[in-house]
Amino acid sequence: MNSAKKNVSNKQNQRLLQAARKAMKQAYAPYSQFKVGAAILTSKGKVFTGCNVENASYGLSNCAERTAIFAAIAESGPGLDIRAIAVVNDQGVPCSPCGACRQVIYEFGPDATVYFQSSNGWKESHIMQLLPEGFRLK
């Protein structure tokens, strides 16, 4: 684990949480009524956001974390390097990234710090704690 990448200042963390909350308000969640927002901080200091987008065919829905990551790639290209990601929800309940999101976070940020609401308040975890032995092709 590269500790230089892992260190995210309190100011950066607050910026991420604020951006995630703003993105959450854009969520399209007519079926679950569960709005989620995410914000990523890249190694270049740029912030990208995303929200969950549901679909009547539930398998076609997309999580906030992946929406933020895909938006970053669409703007910046495939060299994305995630330093940190924050995840919030409108109900204030525990909400860590799902397994699919953990794998995508790991793909673009194997040293990323993840902030999310846990059963004991806000939690900060390294992606490797959330996804040990993440899948890699290279």
Side-chain angles (χ1 to χ4, degrees), residues 2-3 7 9 11 16 20 40 47 52-53 56 70 72 78 84-85 87-88 101 103 109 112 119 121-122 132 136:
N2 180 343
S3 60
N7 293 330
S9 72
K11 185 176 180 179
L16 277 179
I40 63 169
V47 173
N52 59 318
V53 180
F70 299 162
I85 183 167
V87 183
V88 300
C101 288
Q103 176 60 43
S119 57
W122 286 100
R136 282 281 217 228

Side-chain angles (χ1 to χ4, degrees), residues 11-40:
K11 185 176 180 179
Q12 290 171 317
N13 183 25
Q14 291 306 311
R15 180 179 168 212
L16 277 179
L17 288 170
Q18 182 179 23
R21 286 183 186 106
K22 185 176 179 183
M24 177 187 67
K25 294 177 183 174
Q26 300 299 108
Y28 178 73
Y31 307 105
S32 72
Q33 304 300 312
F34 189 74
K35 294 183 176 188
V36 180
I40 63 169

